[in-house]
Amino acid sequence: MAGMHTVAQGEYIAYIAAQYGFVSWQDIWNHPLNATLKSQRQNPNVLFPGDQVYVPDPQVQNIAKPTDQTHNFKLKTSTLKLHLVLEDMYEKPIANAKCLLSLGANTYNVTTDGSGAINQEIPPTVQNGVLIIQDDSQTAYGNVQIPILVGSLDPVDQLSGQQARLQNLGYFFGTIGSAADDEFESAVEEFQCDNYLTVDGICGPVTQAKLKKVYGC
């Protein structure tokens, strides 16, 4: 039945839609009662624990067709794509590297492109997995295992979201979800310096916007 769903860590709109039997996550995301949430979060894959999502009743469409004939029906679905970019410690792309991407029960053989990117369509039912760089030519990174947490990135206006982005970009090495401290402030300062921002160690709106742009979401 229709009602409110409280977002838990690691949940994203496509995942929630799949749990309630929706074929398209857009049926939930674009519902008028989720307009405020949509405006606040903007990205259906970046929610925050405690967010309230309205889940309507799935719409059932009855189509009358003769029973003595064969009919073809086309199911409209919404695709979900995982986008990753691999860079080395010098911010150089790890290009053309053969990798094994394991997400739940699904395994994909993927290769990074010239910019170190991987784009892979995935089912909306996964929350975690691992990426293994298998390419022997990548001597410094061969067999490196990178944990993948789908839907676990918090919004950039939250401290945990700032820490996660700075950590994945190689600036922050503390614990995500911990209180802001000198280590976090130093990470913000380094990011600000590299991106020609005012260096004050405060991750305010301007720094958040730049962090979101550099990170990609």
Side-chain angles (χ1 to χ4, degrees):
M1 294 184 63
M4 302 303 297
H5 174 89
T6 302
V7 175
Q9 185 66 53
E11 291 188 336
Y12 48 101
I13 291 295
Y15 178 87
I16 295 170
Q19 307 311 304
Y20 284 91
F22 284 82
V23 174
S24 173
W25 55 266
Q26 296 187 37
D27 292 339
I28 293 179
W29 186 240
N30 293 329
H31 194 281
L33 292 182
N34 288 321
T36 299
L37 176 67
K38 184 177 180 180
S39 175
Q40 180 183 14
R41 298 303 181 211
Q42 301 181 9
N43 189 328
N45 301 316
V46 184
L47 304 178
F48 191 65
D51 281 347
Q52 296 294 305
V53 178
Y54 178 75
V55 180
D57 289 322
Q59 294 184 351
V60 178
Q61 185 177 6
N62 295 317
I63 302 176
K65 292 291 182 179
T67 58
D68 58 347
Q69 298 178 17
T70 300
H71 308 281
N72 295 320
F73 296 91
K74 186 175 181 180
L75 183 64
K76 294 183 178 180
T77 61
S78 299
T79 59
L80 185 67
K81 183 172 289 186
L82 178 67
H83 176 69
L84 303 171
V85 177
L86 303 184
E87 295 181 342
D88 63 19
M89 65 179 66
Y90 304 106
E91 298 184 2
K92 300 292 185 181
I94 302 177
N96 307 313
K98 296 179 180 178
C99 304
L100 183 68
L101 176 62
S102 178
L103 295 169
N106 302 282
T107 301
Y108 311 92
N109 290 301
V110 296
T111 302
T112 61
D113 63 17
S115 62
I118 293 172
N119 291 286
Q120 175 64 49
E121 287 191 7
I122 63 173
T125 54
V126 298
Q127 291 182 298
N128 54 71
V130 63
L131 178 72
I132 303 174
I133 302 176
Q134 295 184 311
D135 200 329
D136 292 336
S137 65
Q138 301 291 337
T139 55
Y141 304 99
N143 293 318
V144 170
Q145 298 190 19
I146 304 172
I148 304 296
L149 299 176
V150 181
S152 289
L153 183 69
D154 289 340
V156 74
D157 60 353
Q158 301 293 326
L159 176 61
S160 55
Q162 298 160 13
Q163 292 170 333
R165 288 170 176 81
L166 288 169
Q167 186 175 89
N168 290 337
L169 290 172
Y171 291 97
F172 179 64
F173 299 97
T175 301
I176 296 175
S178 61
D181 54 14
D182 291 342
E183 186 174 8
F184 173 71
E185 183 177 336
S186 295
V188 174
E189 289 176 345
E190 186 175 353
F191 176 81
Q192 291 171 329
C193 182
D194 286 348
N195 289 277
Y196 307 101
L197 302 175
T198 299
V199 180
D200 57 9
I202 300 173
C203 197
V206 174
T207 301
Q208 290 176 23
K210 188 65 176 182
L211 181 58
K212 185 177 180 179
K213 181 178 180 180
V214 172
Y215 191 81
C217 63

